Amino acid sequence: MGKPYILDPIEKAPREEIERIQLKRLKETVRRAYENVPIYRRKFQEAGITPDDIRSLEDLRKIPFTYKNDLREAYPYGMFAVPLSEVIEIHASSGTTGKPTVVGYTATDIENWSNLMARSFAAAGVTKDDILYVALGYHWFTGGLGFHYGGQKLGAMVVPAGTGFTQRHVQMIKDLGATVLGAVPNYALRLAEVALEMGIDPAKDTKVRTGIFGAEMWSDELRKRINELWDMDSYDIYGMSELYGPGTAMECQYHNGLHVWEDHYIVEVVDPKTGEVLEPEEEGVLVVTPITHEAMPLLRYWTNDLTFIYDTRSCECGRTMRKIARIKGRADDMLIINGVNVFPSAVEITLLSDPRVGHNYQIVVEREGNLDRMYVFVESKEKLSDEDKEKLARELEYKLREVLIISPRVKVMDPGEIPRVEGGKAKRVIDKRKL
């Protein structure tokens, strides 16, 4: 929004230069993983290959995938390629579906991550003159420290706010004159909601005009809501703890896909059923190979995130690094309801396209007799009469049926009636069939 966008020379390098760097770093990573991580030595032996077989970028396809279960089986330090004395930081996933996945960082890893985050912020027009308010968790979760390191590397003032205590955050955002907000997207909405309850208009009474959000799927409809409430330009940032954290890919000012920082990552999109590498513009599961990780090299990491690679090698912003589409959801987030595939993202887009609907909703799936039943609970933007709630519910049921090809039951609730999450990822789907 009127700020300069400064490109690192590598961001606009010729493809030949980028691919030369990728191949050199890929070979180094493959050898480091093979020689120091037992699970990779076993995978290579089972596949009948050695590091010497990786002579081109196309040879990456010879390497077996790495899955989250591989990381869990290696818990806690089995994926590390360096002695623990060289590891200076640890992060971990929540472990809600099993053992947590532990990720380690050397000093070089932290430096790489900081530089990638600084580059990502620069893509959003952030400069050393900004005040970055980091409303993300500072703990096992990589978001808070990743944003913190990147903001400091860029030279911006960083406010390590964390999550919770939402009223205090609103007051501090206003009083400190924060100009950039880092958060999960749903917390940006919660902050705006609480601000309005406090008599503070985020658009008029704060200086925040840039938002950098990630860690959960958020649709363009949700982005419009956030931008309007804050009078901001919001950017999507991609990453996960296994890939350092946030900072694997980032939107530029044109908001047409996320640039992958290809001097640090090689991306593929594969068929979720067969693992076959797909062509550009074909949607599938994102597979990422980090090529600068020291502590914990990963080869062809199956992220389970659904996207596609754009069929272009350039962008109006001047970058030559390839772009992926915004994440549609996770392959394991897909609900199968009476044999029909349903993505929560399709529900969100349909709901939020109606101006009478608030931004909070919840999907509940349960088994009734021999059939699955899907319920959608959604808040109205303003308090409605019972008659108007019923009318809106019927209209939303019709719209959802047209999109999903199933017939969900919709209940419209009053504003504020659905429980909020103060800072973390929103709990949008409750599948009682799994409970």
Side-chain angles (χ1 to χ4, degrees):
M1 301 184 69
K3 294 180 182 177
Y5 293 84
I6 301 171
L7 271 62
D8 187 305
I10 190 62
E11 296 180 67
K12 51 186 178 180
R15 286 302 309 174
E16 297 76 18
E17 173 68 6
I18 293 171
E19 290 176 4
R20 183 191 67 78
I21 291 170
Q22 284 186 319
L23 180 58
K24 177 178 180 293
R25 291 178 173 177
L26 173 64
K27 288 179 176 180
E28 292 169 351
T29 298
V30 166
R31 189 160 297 279
R32 185 164 63 253
Y34 180 83
E35 292 177 352
N36 298 291
V37 184
I39 191 171
Y40 281 124
R41 197 154 48 251
R42 187 178 75 244
K43 281 178 176 282
F44 271 56
Q45 288 167 353
E46 289 172 354
I49 58 174
T50 72
D52 293 332
D53 292 312
I54 309 305
R55 303 186 186 93
S56 68
L57 291 176
E58 288 68 34
D59 287 337
L60 180 63
R61 302 183 185 193
K62 298 177 180 178
I63 300 173
F65 297 113
T66 304
Y67 299 97
K68 183 163 283 228
N69 275 344
D70 292 323
L71 275 62
R72 291 193 177 115
E73 287 173 14
Y75 176 87
Y77 301 134
M79 296 298 295
F80 289 8
V82 299
L84 288 183
S85 59
E86 293 182 26
V87 176
I88 66 167
E89 187 166 313
I90 289 283
H91 286 276
S93 67
S94 62
T96 52
T97 56
K99 284 183 180 177
T101 57
V102 173
V103 182
Y105 304 74
T106 64
T108 299
D109 288 329
I110 295 296
E111 181 69 11
N112 286 339
W113 188 19
S114 302
N115 285 325
L116 287 169
M117 287 301 296
R119 187 192 293 181
S120 298
F121 289 156
V126 181
T127 72
K128 66 181 181 62
D129 297 320
D130 277 298
I131 299 175
L132 170 64
Y133 198 92
V134 184
L136 291 158
Y138 277 74
H139 46 69
W140 296 110
F141 174 57
T142 54
L145 280 169
F147 273 61
H148 191 106
Y149 294 150
Q152 287 191 332
K153 177 63 70 173
L154 196 63
M157 182 195 296
V158 179
V159 183
T163 58
F165 309 104
T166 303
Q167 287 191 351
R168 185 178 182 189
H169 285 321
V170 170
Q171 196 65 53
M172 294 300 280
I173 286 169
K174 179 177 181 291
D175 293 348
L176 296 175
T179 58
V180 181
L181 174 64
V184 296
N186 280 288
Y187 196 49
L189 287 169
R190 179 61 179 156
L191 285 164
E193 185 178 59
V194 171
L196 292 168
E197 291 170 1
M198 294 168 62
I200 295 173
D201 185 338
K204 296 177 181 176
D205 300 329
T206 79
K207 294 181 180 179
V208 175
R209 292 298 172 265
T210 301
I212 301 175
F213 307 128
E216 63 184 0
M217 189 286 300
W218 55 305
S219 65
D220 282 332
E221 294 297 334
L222 195 62
R223 190 209 294 263
K224 289 175 190 173
R225 299 280 181 104
I226 294 171
N227 287 351
E228 184 179 324
L229 283 165
W230 286 93
D231 185 23
M232 68 161 50
D233 193 11
S234 59
Y235 291 77
D236 197 354
I237 189 168
Y238 178 75
M240 55 178 53
S241 60
E242 297 89 337
L243 310 177
Y244 281 153
T248 300
M250 177 72 183
E251 281 188 313
C252 66
Q253 67 265 39
Y254 293 99
H255 301 293
N256 184 24
L258 288 78
H259 290 278
V260 177
W261 304 133
E262 290 189 279
D263 51 331
H264 290 265
Y265 300 97
I266 299 174
V267 295
E268 307 166 272
V269 171
V270 305
D271 185 295
K273 293 181 180 176
T274 66
E276 178 186 354
V277 176
L278 300 175
E279 294 298 318
E281 309 286 337
E282 292 184 325
E283 185 179 277
V285 169
L286 181 67
V287 171
V288 184
T289 300
I291 49 176
T292 54
H293 284 202
E294 276 193 349
M296 199 176 106
L298 284 176
L299 302 175
R300 303 194 81 198
Y301 186 65
W302 186 286
T303 69
N304 235 13
D305 289 331
L306 296 169
T307 185
F308 62 83
I309 296 172
Y310 280 79
D311 191 13
T312 178
R313 298 298 176 94
S314 63
C315 179
E316 291 175 90
C317 69
R319 291 177 179 86
T320 53
M321 293 190 174
R322 303 172 84 187
K323 293 189 293 187
I324 56 172
R326 298 184 70 204
I327 301 302
K328 177 180 178 181
R330 292 179 61 80
D332 52 1
D333 283 346
M334 184 182 73
L335 298 165
I336 302 177
I337 300 175
N338 296 324
V340 177
N341 296 344
V342 174
F343 282 99
S345 55
V347 176
E348 176 171 295
I349 292 167
T350 304
L351 293 176
L352 299 191
S353 62
D354 191 309
R356 298 168 294 177
V357 168
H359 53 258
N360 278 290
Y361 67 91
Q362 203 161 60
I363 301 165
V364 178
V365 183
E366 29 184 69
R367 190 81 172 165
E368 295 180 359
N370 294 320
L371 295 175
D372 299 323
R373 177 64 71 181
M374 175 176 164
Y375 296 88
V376 177
F377 299 91
V378 62
E379 291 177 0
S380 57
K381 199 166 189 178
E382 298 174 356
K383 196 170 175 65
L384 301 176
S385 67
D386 289 343
E387 184 180 343
D388 286 340
K389 283 182 186 175
E390 188 64 26
K391 180 174 181 290
L392 177 56
R394 299 293 79 78
E395 290 179 24
L396 292 173
E397 285 178 351
Y398 175 78
K399 291 178 182 178
L400 288 167
R401 186 167 64 248
E402 291 293 300
V403 171
L404 306 178
I405 324 179
I406 62 168
S407 299
R409 295 177 182 174
V410 175
K411 181 178 181 181
V412 176
M413 306 172 78
D414 289 331
E417 201 171 343
I418 295 176
R420 294 335 192 223
V421 176
E422 299 295 337
K425 302 178 186 181
K427 183 68 175 174
R428 296 299 194 194
V429 179
I430 299 173
D431 191 343
K432 294 185 176 180
R433 298 171 301 179
K434 298 179 180 179
L435 299 178

